[in-house]
Amino acid sequence: MRLTFLILFVIKVNGFIAAQTNSTFFEKPSIDTTTIKNWPSIGEEKAISNDGKYFMYAIENKPIGNKTLIIKSTSTTWEREIIGDINGVFTNDSKQFILLINDTLNCITLGTNDITLIANISDYKLGQNEKEEWLACHLKNESNDLLISNLLSGNESRLKNVTDYSFKRNKLFFKTATGREKLVSTFEYLDMTSLSKRIIWTSTDNNVAIANYTVSNNGNQVAFTLKSKKNNNEEFSIWLYKNGMERAVEKVNNHTSRINNQLVVSSSTPKFSEDDKYIYFILNRVEVCTPKLERVSFDLWNYKDTLIQSTQLLRLKDAITSIDIISVESDSLIQLTGNYEVIVAKPVKGDFVVVSYNRMRDGIGDMYWLPGLETYFLVSLKDGSRKRLNTNVNSVFWFSPCGHYLLYYDPKTRQYNSYNLQSGKLAVLSTDIPNGWLSFQSEYYRGEPANMPKAPANGGVAGCWLDNDRAVWVYDNYDIWQLDLAGEKPPLNITHGYGRSHHIKLRLTDQTLYDHDIVHPGDSLLLVAYNTENKYNGFYRLIIGSESALESLVMGPWTWYHLGLTNDLDEGMRPLKARNVNTWIVKRQTSTEFPNFFLTTDFRSFQPLTDFHPEKYYNWLTAELISWKQLDGTVSQGVLYKPQNFDPRKRYPVLIHYYEQMSHRLYEYPAPEFSYAEPNISWFVSKGYLVFTPDIYYSSRPIGESAKNTMISGAEYLGHLPYVDGKRIGIAGHSFGGHETYYLLTHTDKFAAVLASAGCTNVISETLSLSINGGSNANWMSSMEQRMGGVALWQNSNLYIDESAVFFADKITTPLLILQNKNDDHWSGGVALFIALRRLNKKVWMLQYDGEGHILAETKDQIDFTIRMTQFFDHYLKFAPAPKWLTEGIPAKLKQIETGYALDPSGNCGKDCKVCKMWNEKMKKDSVGTMIEIQEKIKSDHWMVGTNGNN
């Protein structure tokens, strides 16, 4: 009987403990500032050995404040960790991993405990060809020795007095300098196969040196820039060496008769064309203007100026450049570009480039409203002759790999065109593709919206050029099409319409592999896939020339790699393939699982390589895709984030954050971070908020109305959910989202609190303004005018007025927090709205961080902003006491002394604030009990620990 009682007692106790595990007794803590400071993340460094047996990656913030490089086996438990901000490389034979720690080179024999150390090293480089591999180490000794090891044979050799070196194919190119008073400089190469040396250039003149050099793709030619000092002035010249020459020869200098006397050779590095036939180099235009001090100093602003005066003054010190070429085979010198011109397309093989004349290129010109803004020319590399191409602004060009065709997309006609470089025949290639299918981001722009930014086609050219330039692949919004470059055959849908019929975007996983490469029937290609409806992500296989449907490899509720999407939290990682075997490293994440690495050979089964889960120790989140009907009857989507300890019986406050479209983030990991301008999702959800990120769809209506169409309907939808308090919904938008936030603020009182950062409050003023540095703001102006339907201010001033919140400041009733820093183009607009609201006695506060611009870059500023933003929303959405910086402000004399973080239940943020009134009444009734309650709140909010207002 006693035994039975004891058993029952144990069961009862265990049951109690199990129940408590899911209760607040064992409730996970929320994310605080210490959590963020300690949070790990995957570093940029990653590599796989050629045989696929070893993998390298880095973890940031492990240990705290540092980084750890990890090399591990993909099939055994062998692993090595090296702490420090370092990187390394696998050797070509997959036998060693090499990295430099301080001044010691570590050569780790993979899979063993063996490490070869080479001390006193300043730097190292690896060189290889198809059969051999070499390691060159620069020693820190008086003679600047270069130690060279053959990693296959183990043979070693040394070169003395080496100042610079690099490998190219089977050659080691190096510079030496010997002597003290009389300097002897040489530029040589060492043939790694025969171990024979060849001098390319030498000099005993202390005033002459090689500034930089480049080696041709085949390794048989070298072009370099020679720097000479004459009369305390530096001059530069271009030299060329080819295999078989006795020495390098000078090709171009400032005194070459073929160069205009206003042009001089720049110090920039010359570049070989892809086929090694030409050398590209830059000439600077020198304009000597000496001000006369007795003259009046003033600026004349002339309406005929190509550049306004302020921009001209900013650019006085900038060299005006032209790009020239010289033929390797002859001395022919061709100037390719002039003023306001740039090269926009170069061939892999061939004798032409495409040059664009554009007043706005890189901000050079600012008359964006003029017709003929951009003109394109096909320029011959042989004789410099030009042919104007009949296409429009923002066209994009590609040369076919064999040099037979020029392919380009015209955004005005929305068609792909080809130009036969031999015959001069022009062909339109894509007329049979349904209208609109090639349009940019068509799923986000309903119909034919006037305010859709003009942009290239969706995804552009996939590459995959077929034999002898017969055809090329291009993307529509979902599928891949094959275009006949001669224009004789109709477009062929390579993916058989599968993408569009299933709402799946299909793209080549590694676009760069096929930009210029030729593929053949039977080749297997890996495609990345993204479902625009359920946000699933995965991979498909496509066999070139196969009539069968695509083969789905893996597709599901993860993020592997988002190719071509925008506004990502983490776009994932392009799969990393071992060179010699079909072994891949992939990274997988979800909203609830930290990004981890996996090994796969078939993209069906995946072997985990890492197992990081920092989120499991905190009150994390869940993510849910929701759809609702907008004000105009159309359907939108968004992601609703809930805390892990979500209780459907409670009613939660909601923070809505937006910037065009964000629903594709559904399965992306929202890592905790300090806020640089936008609210961090995991931070707010961990603290008991619901966070909602809706998609805004744009149509022919104005920008603000598109945002209103989504935001009002979305808030109403949320407000009807039983676990949402519809009266406690706040919104936050940054940059373009900030502009939309200001519009919403003046056109609805539905929201309880608003954060706007770096947004435009006065479209009229900013459309006719200068940038923060005084130069032209033409690029922003042009973009905004496009978003206004291409209508200028005086053509429809009411449209501009309605989009400008400052004109409707009196309509604002919602508490507003502005983040607006001085080094941002929208600063004056933020100040204007603040002043207007201050005059109207509206509740508004503006944060302006010294030295900051469009976003916060300094960690200490991000931490401070995160705290203040949270306190702001806590007050209005969670009914917490207002902090002193809201109730009393911070006098200028206490700048950098007083934070104002301390909660102030006796204070008042505004005479009509119901929250402050509630706390004031509590303080009057029971000051002791109320203060205990406040102290408990401070203890529970870890980010407030120690913030007494003076630290």
Side-chain angles (χ1 to χ4, degrees), residues 705-731:
E705 284 299 303
S706 292
K708 183 179 176 181
N709 181 52
T710 298
M711 296 296 293
I712 298 296
S713 60
E716 290 177 349
Y717 174 86
L718 293 173
H720 286 94
L721 296 175
Y723 48 82
V724 168
D725 187 340
K727 295 182 178 180
R728 293 191 291 156
I729 298 179
I731 61 174

Coordinates of all heavy atoms in Angstrom, one line a residue, residues 705-731:
E705 N -2.4 56.2 -51.8 CA -3.7 55.4 -51.9 C -3.5 53.9 -52.0 O -4.3 53.2 -51.5 CB -4.5 56.0 -53.1 CG -5.2 57.3 -52.8 CD -6.2 57.2 -51.6 OE1 -7.1 56.4 -51.7 OE2 -6.0 58.0 -50.7
S706 N -2.4 53.5 -52.7 CA -2.1 52.1 -52.8 C -1.7 51.6 -51.4 O -2.2 50.5 -51.0 CB -0.9 51.9 -53.7 OG -1.2 52.1 -55.0
A707 N -1.0 52.4 -50.6 CA -0.6 52.0 -49.2 C -1.9 52.0 -48.4 O -2.1 51.0 -47.6 CB 0.4 53.0 -48.7
K708 N -2.7 53.0 -48.5 CA -4.0 53.0 -47.7 C -4.9 51.8 -48.1 O -5.5 51.3 -47.1 CB -4.7 54.3 -48.0 CG -6.0 54.6 -47.2 CD -6.6 55.9 -47.6 CE -7.9 56.1 -46.9 NZ -8.5 57.4 -47.3
N709 N -5.0 51.5 -49.3 CA -5.8 50.3 -49.7 C -5.4 49.1 -49.0 O -6.2 48.3 -48.6 CB -5.6 50.1 -51.2 CG -6.4 49.0 -51.8 OD1 -7.6 48.9 -51.6 ND2 -5.8 48.1 -52.5
T710 N -4.1 48.9 -48.8 CA -3.6 47.7 -48.1 C -3.7 47.9 -46.6 O -4.2 47.0 -45.9 CB -2.1 47.4 -48.5 OG1 -2.1 47.1 -49.9 CG2 -1.5 46.2 -47.7
M711 N -3.2 49.0 -46.1 CA -3.0 49.1 -44.6 C -4.3 49.2 -43.9 O -4.4 48.6 -42.8 CB -2.1 50.3 -44.4 CG -0.7 50.2 -44.9 SD 0.2 48.9 -44.1 CE 0.4 49.6 -42.5
I712 N -5.2 50.0 -44.4 CA -6.5 50.1 -43.7 C -7.3 48.8 -43.6 O -7.7 48.3 -42.6 CB -7.4 51.2 -44.3 CG1 -6.7 52.6 -44.3 CG2 -8.8 51.2 -43.7 CD1 -6.6 53.1 -42.9
S713 N -7.3 48.1 -44.8 CA -8.0 46.8 -44.9 C -7.3 45.8 -44.0 O -7.9 45.0 -43.4 CB -8.1 46.4 -46.3 OG -6.8 46.2 -46.9
G714 N -5.9 45.8 -44.0 CA -5.2 44.9 -43.2 C -5.4 45.1 -41.7 O -5.6 44.1 -41.0
A715 N -5.5 46.3 -41.3 CA -5.7 46.6 -39.9 C -7.1 46.2 -39.5 O -7.3 45.7 -38.4 CB -5.5 48.1 -39.6
E716 N -8.1 46.4 -40.4 CA -9.4 46.0 -40.1 C -9.6 44.5 -40.0 O -10.3 44.0 -39.1 CB -10.4 46.6 -41.2 CG -10.6 48.1 -41.1 CD -11.4 48.6 -42.2 OE1 -11.7 47.8 -43.2 OE2 -11.8 49.8 -42.2
Y717 N -8.9 43.8 -40.9 CA -8.9 42.4 -40.8 C -8.3 41.9 -39.5 O -8.9 41.0 -38.8 CB -8.0 41.8 -42.0 CG -7.9 40.3 -41.9 CD1 -8.8 39.4 -42.4 CD2 -6.8 39.7 -41.3 CE1 -8.7 38.1 -42.4 CE2 -6.6 38.4 -41.2 CZ -7.6 37.5 -41.8 OH -7.4 36.2 -41.7
L718 N -7.1 42.4 -39.1 CA -6.5 42.1 -37.8 C -7.4 42.4 -36.7 O -7.5 41.6 -35.7 CB -5.2 42.8 -37.7 CG -4.1 42.4 -38.7 CD1 -2.9 43.3 -38.5 CD2 -3.6 40.9 -38.5
G719 N -8.1 43.5 -36.7 CA -8.9 44.0 -35.6 C -10.1 43.1 -35.3 O -10.6 43.1 -34.2
H720 N -10.5 42.3 -36.3 CA -11.6 41.3 -36.1 C -11.1 40.0 -35.6 O -12.0 39.1 -35.3 CB -12.4 41.1 -37.4 CG -13.2 42.3 -37.8 ND1 -12.8 43.3 -38.6 CD2 -14.5 42.7 -37.4 CE1 -13.7 44.2 -38.7 NE2 -14.8 43.9 -38.0
L721 N -9.8 39.8 -35.5 CA -9.3 38.5 -34.9 C -9.5 38.5 -33.4 O -9.3 39.6 -32.8 CB -7.8 38.3 -35.3 CG -7.5 38.2 -36.8 CD1 -6.0 38.1 -37.0 CD2 -8.2 36.9 -37.4
P722 N -10.0 37.4 -32.8 CA -10.3 37.5 -31.4 C -9.1 37.7 -30.5 O -9.3 38.1 -29.3 CB -10.9 36.0 -31.2 CG -10.3 35.2 -32.3 CD -10.2 36.1 -33.5
Y723 N -7.9 37.5 -31.0 CA -6.7 37.7 -30.1 C -6.0 39.0 -30.4 O -4.9 39.2 -30.0 CB -5.8 36.5 -30.3 CG -5.5 36.1 -31.7 CD1 -4.5 36.8 -32.5 CD2 -6.2 35.1 -32.3 CE1 -4.3 36.5 -33.8 CE2 -5.9 34.7 -33.6 CZ -4.9 35.4 -34.4 OH -4.7 35.1 -35.7
V724 N -6.6 39.9 -31.2 CA -6.0 41.2 -31.5 C -6.8 42.3 -30.9 O -8.1 42.3 -31.0 CB -5.9 41.4 -33.0 CG1 -5.5 42.8 -33.3 CG2 -4.8 40.5 -33.6
D725 N -6.2 43.2 -30.2 CA -6.8 44.4 -29.8 C -6.8 45.5 -30.9 O -5.7 46.1 -31.1 CB -6.2 44.9 -28.5 CG -6.9 46.1 -27.8 OD1 -7.7 46.8 -28.5 OD2 -6.7 46.4 -26.6
G726 N -7.9 45.7 -31.6 CA -7.9 46.6 -32.7 C -7.6 48.0 -32.4 O -7.3 48.8 -33.3
K727 N -7.7 48.4 -31.1 CA -7.4 49.8 -30.7 C -5.9 50.0 -30.4 O -5.5 51.1 -30.1 CB -8.3 50.2 -29.6 CG -9.8 50.2 -29.9 CD -10.6 50.7 -28.7 CE -12.1 50.7 -29.0 NZ -12.9 51.2 -27.9
R728 N -5.2 48.9 -30.4 CA -3.7 49.0 -30.1 C -2.9 48.5 -31.3 O -2.2 47.5 -31.2 CB -3.4 48.2 -28.8 CG -4.1 48.7 -27.6 CD -3.5 48.0 -26.4 NE -3.9 46.7 -26.3 CZ -3.3 45.7 -25.6 NH1 -2.1 46.0 -25.0 NH2 -3.7 44.5 -25.5
I729 N -3.0 49.1 -32.4 CA -2.3 48.8 -33.6 C -1.4 50.0 -34.0 O -1.9 51.1 -34.1 CB -3.2 48.5 -34.8 CG1 -4.1 47.2 -34.5 CG2 -2.4 48.2 -36.1 CD1 -5.0 46.8 -35.6
G730 N -0.1 49.8 -34.1 CA 0.8 50.8 -34.5 C 1.5 50.5 -35.8 O 1.4 49.3 -36.3
I731 N 2.0 51.4 -36.5 CA 2.7 51.2 -37.8 C 4.0 51.9 -37.8 O 4.3 52.8 -37.1 CB 1.8 51.8 -38.9 CG1 1.6 53.3 -38.8 CG2 0.5 51.1 -39.0 CD1 0.9 54.0 -40.0

